[in-house]
C-alpha cells in the first residue's frame, strides 16, 4: 500500500506523467530547431558576369618649349622667368630665341642652371657685346661688327655646336636678301647667336650658312611657330617688347633702336596669340642699351614668372587630360 501525504492530490493515472514528459521534450526540440534553422534564401535578380577593366594607359608629359623674345638689355628679364621655372620644377625641353632671347637661351641651354646663368649675366656689360667703331660706321654696314658678342658667347658656352647643348636649342635670324625666317639649329652656337642678334644698322649683317643674316626680330621677334614646328606640345613665350612711345630720341643710334622697337612690336602683336602661356615682364620702359637696370629687369621677370605659374600648371593639366581622354578605349 502506497503512502499518500495528506492534502496533496496526485493524478489517478500514472501514464499522465509520461505524457507530460513527452510534451515537454517535444517543446524543447522545437525551440532548438527554431534557433538553428537557416534563414530562407532571398530571391535576387540575375547579375551580369563581371568584366575585367583594363588599366588606363599612362599619360605622357608634354614637351614644353620656352620661347624668348628680343629686346636687347630688357632680355635680363628672361633670366628671372627661367629662375622661377627651375624653382617650380617646370621642365624646359626646348629653347627657341630671337636676338637677346637667343643669347640668354644659348647660355641656359649650355648649363641648364639658372644660378650659373644669373652669375654670367651680372658680369655682362654693354662693352662686352657692342664693339662700336667710327670707321666701321663709315665704311661698314653697322656701327658695331658683332665680333665681341660672338667671342663672349664662345667663351661662356661650354659646347661649340648647337647639337651638343644640354637642352635642344634654336636661334632665329632673318635673311636680309630675301626677307625669310632662318632657323639656326645646327653648327656654331656663337655664330648663330651673333646672327640672330644683329640689329640692322647697329650690328653688321652676318654671313652664315650661305646667307646674309640680321636680327630675327625683323621677321619674328617671338618665334612661337618655330617652337611648334620643332615638336613642342606647349609653348611658354616671354615677351619683353618695349613701350613704343619715346620722346627721347637724340641721335642716329636712337633712331635705329626706336625704329627697331616699333618693327618688333608690330610683328609680335599677332604672333604672341599662338602661345599657350604668355609671360610679359614689365620692362617696356627700359632702353635697349640700358645695362644699368639689369637687376630691375630680373626682378620683373621673377614677378611675371610667378604670376604665370598657375596658368602654366593649368595648361599642363589640360593637355594631359586631353591626352588621357584620347587614349581611352572606344565604347
Amino acid at each position: 500500500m502506497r503512502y499518500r501525504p495528506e492534502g496533496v492530490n496526485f493524478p489517478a493515472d500514472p501514464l499522465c506523467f509520461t505524457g507530460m514528459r513527452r510534451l515537454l521534450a517535444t517543446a524543447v526540440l522545437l525551440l532548438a530547431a527554431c534557433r538553428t534553422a537557416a534563414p530562407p534564401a532571398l530571391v535576387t535578380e540575375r547579375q551580369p558576369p563581371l568584366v575585367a577593366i583594363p588599366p588606363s594607359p599612362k599619360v605622357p608629359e608634354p614637351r614644353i618649349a620656352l620661347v624668348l623674345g628680343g629686346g636687347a638689355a630688357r632680355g635680363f628679364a628672361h633670366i628671372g622667368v627661367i629662375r622661377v621655372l627651375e624653382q617650380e620644377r617646370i621642365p624646359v625641353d626646348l629653347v627657341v630665341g630671337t636676338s637677346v632671347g637667343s643669347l640668354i637661351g644659348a647660355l641656359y641651354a649650355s648649363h641648364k642652371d639658372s644660378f650659373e646663368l644669373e652669375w654670367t649675366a651680372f658680369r655682362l656689360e654693354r662693352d662686352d657685346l657692342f664693339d662700336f667703331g667710327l670707321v666701321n660706321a663709315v665704311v661698314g654696314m653697322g656701327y658695331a661688327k658683332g665680333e665681341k658678342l660672338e667671342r663672349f658667347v664662345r667663351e661662356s658656352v661650354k659646347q661649340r655646336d648647337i647639337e651638343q647643348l644640354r637642352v635642344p636649342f634654336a636661334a632665329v635670324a632673318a635673311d636680309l636678301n630675301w626677307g625669310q625666317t632662318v632657323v639656326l639649329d645646327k653648327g656654331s652656337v656663337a655664330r648663330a647667336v651673333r646672327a640672330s642678334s644683329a640689329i640692322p644698322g647697329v650690328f653688321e649683317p652676318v654671313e652664315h650658312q650661305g646667307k646674309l643674316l640680321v636680327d630675327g626680330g625683323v621677321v619674328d621677334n617671338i618665334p612661337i611657330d618655330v617652337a611648334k614646328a620643332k615638336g613642342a606640345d606647349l609653348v611658354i613665350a616671354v615677351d619683353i617688347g618695349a613701350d613704343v612711345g619715346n620722346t627721347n630720341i637724340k641721335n642716329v643710334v636712337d633712331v635705329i633702336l626706336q625704329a627697331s622697337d616699333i618693327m618688333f612690336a608690330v610683328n609680335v602683336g599677332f604672333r604672341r596669340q599662338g602661345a599657350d602661356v604668355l609671360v610679359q615682364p614689365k620692362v617696356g620702359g627700359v632702353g635697349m642699351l640700358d645695362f644699368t637696370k639689369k637687376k630691375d629687369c630680373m626682378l620683373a621677370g621673377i614677378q611675371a614668372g610667378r604670376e604665370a605659374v598657375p596658368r602654366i600648371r593649368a595648361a599642363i593639366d589640360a593637355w594631359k587630360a586631353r591626352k588621357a581622354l584620347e587614349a581611352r578605349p572606344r565604347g
Side-chain angles (χ1 to χ4, degrees), residues 166-323:
R166 297 185 63 186
V167 180
F169 168 77
V172 174
D175 186 327
L176 185 60
N177 295 120
W178 304 106
Q180 297 176 340
T181 300
V182 178
V183 179
L184 303 172
D185 55 5
K186 295 180 178 63
S188 169
V189 178
R191 196 73 172 176
V193 171
R194 177 181 173 182
S196 179
S197 305
I199 302 170
V202 176
F203 287 106
E204 285 190 340
V206 179
E207 293 184 6
H208 185 50
Q209 296 184 357
K211 299 179 177 66
L212 190 64
L213 304 177
V214 294
D215 193 304
V218 172
V219 289
D220 196 349
N221 202 42
I222 186 165
I224 295 166
D225 291 344
V226 174
K228 291 185 175 181
K230 292 185 71 64
D233 297 311
L234 294 176
V235 174
I236 302 170
V238 186
D239 177 16
I240 54 169
D243 298 333
V244 174
N246 183 4
T247 59
N248 190 29
I249 301 172
K250 299 178 179 179
N251 52 53
V252 66
V253 174
D254 289 342
V255 172
I256 293 171
L257 294 177
Q258 174 65 1
S260 297
D261 277 338
I262 294 171
M263 175 176 57
F264 296 165
V266 170
N267 77 37
V268 161
F270 70 93
R271 292 182 185 275
R272 63 189 177 193
Q273 298 176 11
D276 295 283
V277 179
L278 182 65
V279 185
Q280 294 179 288
K282 296 178 180 179
V283 293
V286 177
M288 291 184 75
L289 301 184
D290 188 357
F291 279 61
T292 66
K293 293 186 169 60
K294 289 186 287 187
K295 185 176 180 181
D296 293 339
C297 290
M298 287 186 191
L299 292 175
I302 290 172
Q303 181 179 351
R306 287 175 178 165
E307 291 172 355
V309 166
R311 290 183 283 127
I312 295 171
R313 296 203 184 282
I316 293 172
D317 290 343
W319 185 90
K320 293 174 74 172
R322 186 166 62 252
K323 287 297 176 182

Side-chain angles (χ1 to χ4, degrees), residues 65-121:
L66 178 63
V67 174
L68 304 177
R74 295 189 293 271
F76 290 103
H78 290 322
I79 300 169
V81 175
I82 290 171
R83 181 206 275 192
V84 172
L85 296 179
E86 195 170 275
Q87 289 175 341
E88 295 292 331
R89 300 185 183 278
I90 295 171
V92 174
D93 305 299
L94 170 67
V95 179
V96 180
T98 290
S99 196
V100 71
S102 74
L103 171 60
I104 301 300
L107 293 172
Y108 180 67
S110 173
H111 302 284
K112 204 177 181 181
D113 184 339
S114 64
F115 178 80
E116 185 72 24
L117 179 60
E118 289 180 33
W119 177 250
T120 302

